[in-house]
Amino acid sequence: QQQVKQSPQSLIVQKGGISIINCAYENTAFDYFPWYQQFPGKGPALLIAIRPDVSEKKEGRFTISFNKSAKQFSLHIMDSQPGDSATYFCAARMDSSYKLIFGSGTRLLVRP
Amino acid sequence: EPEVTQTPSHQVTQMGQEVILRCVPISNHLYFYWYRQILGQKVEFLVSFYNNEISEKSEIFDDQFSVERPDGSNFTLKIRSTKLEDSAMYFCASSEAGTWAQPQHFGDGTRLSIL
């Protein structure tokens, strides 16, 4: 119930392509869904976040798509660049809680 | 841009010893957190702290763990008697407020190795 399932575990995309990472959850009490980006040797950094009252949020090349009925959300990286190569974590949080519950992470490699 | 600062970057400790991990949260932030990431696994919440009190803790945060804000700038995690399974990357985070609208900002972590 408290889990967030993330896929794929790793992803290789050509430069200019679209990277898509998916997450699913069970607990309908979750009401905040951030994506974090982590480079080697660094901490997770907030990339973009969404709440369930919208189905899509776009910031530059990064888009979150949210499907409330399916309890799924995904990160799309358009025009992927080698500099986007990092590990991406989805997460979820309930309004009644402080803790972020993280997915297992996706290691993205964008080939030049 | 303000950052969460963690020291040391790597700590090596003998099993059974006490260890203190240190964090300097972003200066105007009021909520503080510790997370850990065992190698190859997901990031896990340990504890949140506000107004000099623990506001929430996970089942991982048992009696061997404690947190403290010893002064106006530092936030520490103490592990009283370390075990091999405590080996992990420990991340400190802070936020302005406890609501979703104020995101949690993470430090770069302390790698704790228990021998």
Side-chain angles (χ1 to χ4, degrees):
Chain A
Q1 272 273 321
Q2 288 278 312
Q3 282 189 3
V4 178
K5 294 183 180 178
Q6 184 171 347
S7 62
Q9 195 172 11
S10 62
L11 181 61
I12 300 175
V13 172
Q14 288 297 125
K15 179 182 174 182
I18 302 173
S19 304
I20 302 175
I21 304 170
N22 301 299
C23 285
Y25 64 97
E26 289 294 324
N27 191 342
T28 55
F30 289 146
D31 66 353
Y32 172 66
F33 301 90
W35 284 90
Y36 280 81
Q37 179 188 56
Q38 185 181 29
F39 292 105
K42 296 289 188 180
L46 180 66
L47 194 60
I48 187 173
I50 199 167
R51 296 205 78 197
D53 49 350
V54 297
S55 60
E56 185 174 283
K57 183 173 181 180
K58 185 175 181 178
E59 288 184 3
R61 296 184 294 109
F62 300 92
T63 300
I64 301 178
S65 297
F66 189 84
N67 186 330
K68 188 173 180 178
S69 60
K71 291 183 281 188
Q72 295 175 348
F73 58 109
S74 58
L75 176 69
H76 292 63
I77 306 174
M78 313 300 286
D79 186 27
S80 298
Q81 299 296 312
D84 297 329
S85 298
T87 299
Y88 292 81
F89 293 95
C90 64
R93 177 184 159 169
M94 292 184 286
D95 194 41
S96 59
S97 169
Y98 298 101
K99 71 180 173 186
L100 291 170
I101 296 168
F102 283 84
S104 53
T106 296
R107 186 173 291 185
L108 171 66
L109 176 63
V110 181
R111 292 201 192 279
Chain B
E1 188 174 320
E3 291 184 338
V4 175
T5 306
Q6 290 187 243
T7 55
S9 57
H10 191 190
Q11 173 83 45
V12 182
T13 302
Q14 292 287 331
M15 186 172 61
Q17 295 296 305
E18 176 183 286
V19 67
I20 297 175
L21 309 182
R22 302 181 191 279
C23 169
V24 178
I26 294 173
S27 62
N28 64 330
H29 286 187
L30 301 177
Y31 290 77
F32 315 114
Y33 314 86
W34 284 100
Y35 290 80
R36 80 173 184 190
Q37 184 179 30
I38 295 171
L39 187 64
Q41 298 186 24
K42 60 179 69 176
V43 178
E44 300 173 293
F45 171 82
L46 292 177
V47 67
S48 62
F49 190 85
Y50 168 70
N51 199 26
N52 281 319
E53 288 185 350
I54 291 174
S55 45
E56 187 175 358
K57 63 181 181 179
S58 72
E59 59 276 7
I60 302 169
F61 193 87
D62 61 22
D63 291 345
Q64 70 162 342
F65 291 93
S66 62
V67 289
E68 190 180 24
R69 185 141 164 92
D71 53 44
S73 58
N74 290 282
F75 179 52
T76 62
L77 174 69
K78 182 193 288 187
I79 309 176
R80 227 176 309 280
S81 177
T82 50
K83 305 171 190 168
L84 292 175
E85 54 265 37
D86 293 328
S87 295
M89 182 72 88
Y90 287 80
F91 293 105
C92 173
S94 69
S95 63
E96 268 189 68
T99 65
W100 64 268
Q102 298 297 334
Q104 295 178 21
H105 297 264
F106 285 74
D108 289 339
T110 293
R111 180 170 299 282
L112 178 63
S113 299
I114 307 300
L115 304 179

